[in-house]
């Protein structure tokens, strides 16, 4: 005997998500796949990195930081309204500054100096790992090649960034006091900037993604960005393991951090 199938209920699979559901899906990706869950970040926030690991992270993360205004310039070139270009231009100014010695890139260089790194070496980028270069190139090319919706949606990792910045400030003050407090200025500034940027970008994505296909592409773009950040930490973590600095040395990392830069 056959049993009749129950009729389908709810909208078809091609029906757009409601704005609330779409936003919820974006926030879920940012919350569940963001790199704050990466083992390296977990160890950082628990105080289990030794000075060499902290410096390796600062060095390689700087390679990502210096390309943020580059990808933002590529996004600006896609925007067809002066209002939107002005809004996005502010992101470039946040990182490059309006004058020499200002901006997020300068603050990251000062973080490196506070951790005992040489500014010229950071700018030269010779210690940047191949995996980090590949991840950053992938993100820049994504913003170059994909349409505005996806390029902007990829930036929505900022939905989670302010909370991570507050956690990082607390972790560095608590566990890595050998880094001078003024070196943490980048993290302090990004709390408010990240909140503002994510609010603006989210509004654009919710407005532009009118079809289910567009919504799914936006979610996929954000997932891709999470993978970029995760891959960056994969490379740094593997470098630590290869050089003898890493999870296997957690017992001594806290002691080394307290001793300072030696």
């Amino acid at each position: 005997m056959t049993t009749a199938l129950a009729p389908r209920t709810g909208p078809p699979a091609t029906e757009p998500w409601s704005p609330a559901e779409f936003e919820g899906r974006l926030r879920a990706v940012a919350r569940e796949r963001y790199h704050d869950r990466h083992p390296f970040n977990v160890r950082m926030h628990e105080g289990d990195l030794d000075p060499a690991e902290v410096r390796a992270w600062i060095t390689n993360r700087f390679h990502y930081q210096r390309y943020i205004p580059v990808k933002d310039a590529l996004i600006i070139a896609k925007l067809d309204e002066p209002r939107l270009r002005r809004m996005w231009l502010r992101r470039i100014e946040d990182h490059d500054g309006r004058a020499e010695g200002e901006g997020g890139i300068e603050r990251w260089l000062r973080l490196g100096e506070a951790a005992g790194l040489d500014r010229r070496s950071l700018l030269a980028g010779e210690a940047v790992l191949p995996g980090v270069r590949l991840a950053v190139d992938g993100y820049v090319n994504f913003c170059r090649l994909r349409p505005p919706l996806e390029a902007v949606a990829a930036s929505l990792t900022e939905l989670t960034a302010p909370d991570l910045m507050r956690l990082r400030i607390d972790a560095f003050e608590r566990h890595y006091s050998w880094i001078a407090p003024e070196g943490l200025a980048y993290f302090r500034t990004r709390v408010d900037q990240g909140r503002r940027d994510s609010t603006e970008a989210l509004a654009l994505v919710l407005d532009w993604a009118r079809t289910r296909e567009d919504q799914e592409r936006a979610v996929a773009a954000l997932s891709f960005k999470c993978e970029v950040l995760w891959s960056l930490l994969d490379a740094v973590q593997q470098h630590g393991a290869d050089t003898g600095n890493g999870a296997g040395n957690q017992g001594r990392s806290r002691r080394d951090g307290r001793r300072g830069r030696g």
Side-chain angles (χ1 to χ4, degrees), residues 45 169-177:
H45 299 147
I169 292 167
D170 178 71
F172 270 71
E173 289 178 338
R174 184 187 304 267
H175 303 299
Y176 309 106
S177 57

Side-chain angles (χ1 to χ4, degrees), residues 140-218:
V140 172
N141 284 326
F142 183 90
C143 293
R144 176 184 290 114
L145 299 173
R146 305 307 297 174
L149 169 63
E150 293 172 65
V152 171
S155 75
L156 287 175
T157 47
E158 292 162 344
L159 289 168
T160 308
D163 289 339
L164 177 58
M165 291 301 103
R166 285 190 289 267
L167 177 62
R168 185 160 290 160
I169 292 167
D170 178 71
F172 270 71
E173 289 178 338
R174 184 187 304 267
H175 303 299
Y176 309 106
S177 57
W178 53 274
I179 297 178
E182 56 267 26
L184 307 183
Y186 177 85
F187 305 137
R188 301 185 197 283
T189 303
R190 285 305 297 169
V191 172
D192 290 335
Q193 287 178 351
R195 186 179 298 109
R196 179 205 67 199
D197 290 350
S198 63
T199 298
E200 292 176 344
L202 179 60
L204 291 178
V205 171
L206 293 176
D207 181 48
W208 290 346
R210 300 297 182 88
T211 68
R212 177 67 168 272
E213 181 181 7
D214 283 345
Q215 291 172 334
E216 291 176 343
R217 289 163 74 93

Side-chain angles (χ1 to χ4, degrees), residues 38-201:
H38 192 284
F40 188 91
N41 259 339
V42 172
R43 291 183 55 230
M44 178 189 294
H45 299 147
E46 291 178 348
D48 283 331
L49 300 187
D50 63 29
E53 289 179 287
V54 174
R55 292 177 186 128
W57 173 75
I58 291 172
T59 298
N60 284 278
R61 177 73 188 202
F62 177 68
H63 185 70
Y64 170 82
Q65 298 297 141
R66 73 193 310 178
Y67 278 95
I68 290 176
V70 175
K71 67 88 178 174
D72 283 328
L74 293 167
I75 293 175
I76 287 176
K78 301 173 185 289
L79 302 176
D80 57 6
E81 294 182 36
R83 172 184 65 86
L84 297 179
R85 291 193 294 269
R86 286 192 299 268
M87 181 183 74
W88 215 266
L89 178 62
R90 201 167 56 231
R91 293 171 177 245
I92 295 180
E93 293 175 342
D94 285 344
H95 283 83
D96 282 343
R98 295 190 178 187
E100 200 68 26
E102 298 179 354
I105 290 177
E106 173 63 25
R107 284 189 285 272
W108 198 273
L109 287 167
R110 292 176 184 174
L111 168 64
E113 290 175 324
L117 293 165
D118 180 72
R119 172 182 289 251
R120 288 172 298 179
S121 297
L122 283 170
L123 289 169
E126 294 175 353
V128 176
L129 299 167
V132 171
R133 294 186 189 277
L134 184 63
V136 172
D137 286 351
Y139 182 39
V140 172
N141 284 326
F142 183 90
C143 293
R144 176 184 290 114
L145 299 173
R146 305 307 297 174
L149 169 63
E150 293 172 65
V152 171
S155 75
L156 287 175
T157 47
E158 292 162 344
L159 289 168
T160 308
D163 289 339
L164 177 58
M165 291 301 103
R166 285 190 289 267
L167 177 62
R168 185 160 290 160
I169 292 167
D170 178 71
F172 270 71
E173 289 178 338
R174 184 187 304 267
H175 303 299
Y176 309 106
S177 57
W178 53 274
I179 297 178
E182 56 267 26
L184 307 183
Y186 177 85
F187 305 137
R188 301 185 197 283
T189 303
R190 285 305 297 169
V191 172
D192 290 335
Q193 287 178 351
R195 186 179 298 109
R196 179 205 67 199
D197 290 350
S198 63
T199 298
E200 292 176 344

Side-chain angles (χ1 to χ4, degrees), residues 221-247:
L222 178 53
S223 296
F224 166 78
K225 173 63 178 306
C226 289
E227 291 169 0
V228 166
L229 296 174
W230 197 276
S231 296
L232 189 155
L233 289 179
D234 278 348
V236 175
Q237 179 172 263
Q238 185 59 49
H239 172 73
D242 292 343
T243 58
N245 300 302

